[in-house]
Amino acid sequence: MEARKTSILVRFTPAPDVTTAQYDETISRLEKSGDWLPEGLAYHVAFKSGDQLRVSEIWDSRKRFDAFGERLMPDACCVTRTIVW
């Protein structure tokens, strides 16, 4: 029997004071560094729900999600001046 591959769904809400401009700046920094779109990310959507930013993603593995999180943190913290993700 062939091994079955399972993707993971990640949903998160950044800190309440994170703005869409800060989100856009973080993505821009990742694009400039060549880290966006990261390998293993199958789907990404960010949207506002009420006054809160929300992010949903589908990753091909937890390992790749975790690796990207380590890459994301320096830019996200620099843009927002806090740990937000």
Side-chain angles (χ1 to χ4, degrees):
M1 186 166 154
E2 191 174 317
R4 199 167 133 170
K5 185 175 178 182
T6 302
S7 297
I8 65 166
L9 170 66
V10 179
R11 298 187 73 192
F12 54 97
T13 303
D17 58 342
V18 173
T19 67
T20 55
Q22 290 170 319
Y23 167 84
D24 291 342
E25 175 63 23
T26 301
I27 296 298
S28 178
R29 287 172 178 242
L30 291 167
E31 288 174 336
K32 287 177 185 172
S33 69
D35 290 322
W36 189 257
L37 291 166
E39 192 168 332
L41 179 62
Y43 183 78
H44 171 91
V45 62
F47 57 95
K48 293 281 278 195
S49 178
D51 61 349
Q52 189 67 44
L53 184 64
R54 310 236 187 237
V55 178
S56 296
E57 298 177 331
I58 297 175
W59 286 85
D60 68 0
S61 73
R62 175 66 189 241
K63 182 178 178 180
R64 286 189 172 165
F65 167 72
D66 289 341
F68 179 68
E70 290 178 22
R71 171 58 194 98
L72 171 67
M73 289 308 294
D75 284 332
C77 293
C78 182
V79 168
T80 64
R81 310 285 191 272
T82 185
I83 296 176
V84 297
W85 304 97

